[in-house]
Amino acid sequence: MERSDSVVPVRTWSHAVVTGGAGFVGSHLCAALLDQGTAVTCVDDFCTGTPDNVAHLMDRPGFTLQHADVTEPFEVKRPADLVLHFASPASPTDYLRLPLHTLETGSLGTRNALALARCHQARFVLASTSEAYGDPQQHPQNERYWGNVNPVGPRSVYDEAKRFGEALTCAEAGTNGTDAGIVRLFNTYGPRMRGHDGRAVPTFIRQALADEPLTVTGDGSQTRSLAYIDDTVRGILAMAGSELLGPVNIGNADEITMLDLAHKIIELAGSRSAVEFIGRPTDDPAVRCPDITLARGKLQWAPAVPADEGLARTIDWFRRQAA
């Protein structure tokens, strides 16, 4: 599915549009692009993101914050040569609260972001997800695996929105020749996550810092592969700089059980918390681990931040926020 066998070419950007740019991953992307000398227009409707995430960027030359809902056609008047489509509720708490908006962002929003890229003749990168694999029967998951997704389950609004977005991106590239790429992001964590967004790392950290029980679902044997935000951003920008269509997995190939993660966060936080087992959500994947052979070979990318270091940075950020 890759467009070329070449390694990552050197590409620079004068102006990037980041949809969902006031979200967790999007805000880090905006900062990284500015650091590279790229002007950035951050487009967000703030349904899950917040202006606070980009407040530190407002005075930086070249940064623009544009309030818009990408499910409606939107314009960016300044010429752009890169469009990163990262708008979408992404945590279970959010997409279960906003099911229709999640589906519309993955469909109508992707169509509108692709139209913007086509209008500006810009490189386009879609943020897809490891949820495209569902509860996988292949382990680890490579990009050739079609997945095991329940199309009518509670998680389907997110899973199928992203799968449709991938199909639309491939159709746009094949039909109109748009320079497009797809990244499938695995679990990413770091500063600017919300403590109540329902994902394991921020939930465990919030509970540990309050010396509350860490609520582990099921028996805690289910696994996830956690990539620190800096590593994920490097992978996304490597994909943007390539000529690949993808999809390409961006994630950490090191697995950890949820029970082990809970104990690690208790230790790193110096917490007095215990572990409390609660019911496991419907269709919760038993395993989740990327095969990153493609990213290593074609993008020369691999995660570099060890889990203990990344988690310690994230815990410190949450501690400062609570102070």
Side-chain angles (χ1 to χ4, degrees):
M1 299 221 22
E2 303 108 50
R3 235 181 228 182
S4 126
D5 290 330
S6 63
V7 297
V8 182
V10 176
R11 299 176 77 172
T12 58
W13 314 105
S14 60
H15 176 213
V17 177
V18 183
T19 72
F24 163 50
V25 175
S27 64
H28 286 275
L29 271 173
C30 289
L33 286 162
L34 288 169
D35 288 344
Q36 293 180 2
T38 302
V40 174
T41 295
C42 167
V43 178
D44 209 297
D45 67 356
F46 309 127
C47 72
T48 59
T50 170
D52 291 344
N53 283 340
V54 291
H56 64 298
L57 305 178
M58 293 300 295
D59 293 331
R60 292 190 61 171
F63 181 77
T64 302
L65 178 60
Q66 179 173 329
H67 186 195
D69 182 349
V70 299
T71 66
E72 301 289 340
F74 66 100
E75 294 182 356
V76 175
K77 294 183 179 180
R78 178 177 178 177
D81 47 10
L82 177 64
V83 176
L84 302 177
H85 182 41
F86 279 70
S88 177
S91 74
T93 298
D94 290 330
Y95 61 69
L96 293 176
R97 176 174 58 89
L98 300 166
L100 294 178
H101 186 64
T102 301
L103 285 163
E104 289 167 354
T105 302
S107 54
L108 299 174
T110 302
R111 182 193 66 183
N112 292 332
L114 280 165
L116 181 74
R118 183 171 66 250
C119 176
H120 288 264
Q121 297 184 315
R123 169 71 165 162
F124 175 89
V125 176
L126 172 71
S128 188
T129 172
S130 60
E131 293 288 340
Y133 299 119
D135 188 4
Q137 296 175 337
Q138 179 193 90
H139 191 69
Q141 297 86 57
N142 64 43
E143 293 86 351
R144 295 181 300 279
Y145 177 54
W146 292 353
N148 178 39
V149 175
N150 179 356
V152 295
R155 303 171 75 99
S156 65
V157 296
Y158 184 61
D159 301 356
E160 298 294 15
K162 291 297 189 180
R163 287 161 69 95
F164 179 85
E166 289 193 15
L168 185 58
T169 299
C170 290
E172 170 71 25
T175 302
N176 294 321
T178 300
D179 180 11
I182 301 165
V183 287
R184 286 181 180 157
L185 304 184
F186 281 67
N187 298 77
T188 299
Y189 69 96
R192 295 188 213 127
M193 298 189 87
R194 291 173 293 131
H196 290 275
D197 80 354
R199 288 179 275 200
V201 170
T203 298
F204 288 169
I205 291 175
R206 172 178 56 80
Q207 292 169 336
L209 292 179
D211 290 322
E212 298 173 353
L214 271 64
T215 48
V216 174
T217 62
D219 63 2
S221 63
Q222 63 272 33
T223 69
R224 297 294 183 267
S225 302
L226 305 175
Y228 187 64
I229 183 63
D230 291 359
D231 285 332
T232 296
V233 166
R234 280 194 304 104
I236 294 163
L237 294 181
M239 182 63 174
S242 78
E243 297 178 348
L244 301 179
L245 173 58
V248 176
N249 290 337
I250 299 296
N252 195 324
D254 293 335
E255 280 182 278
I256 187 170
T257 69
M258 292 298 92
L259 183 56
D260 286 345
L261 176 63
H263 286 305
K264 182 179 288 290
I265 287 175
I266 289 171
E267 177 186 355
L268 291 171
S271 174
R272 297 189 298 273
S273 294
V275 169
E276 176 183 322
F277 294 97
I278 62 174
R280 191 169 163 190
T282 302
D283 294 337
D284 182 43
V287 293
R288 186 58 63 74
C289 180
D291 180 334
I292 59 171
T293 302
L294 185 58
R296 287 181 185 274
K298 299 297 184 181
L299 303 180
Q300 271 112 71
W301 173 88
V305 179
D308 283 6
E309 179 181 339
L311 288 170
R313 292 183 196 174
T314 308
I315 290 166
D316 286 346
W317 183 85
F318 271 90
R319 185 177 279 121
R320 290 195 302 272
Q321 295 303 112

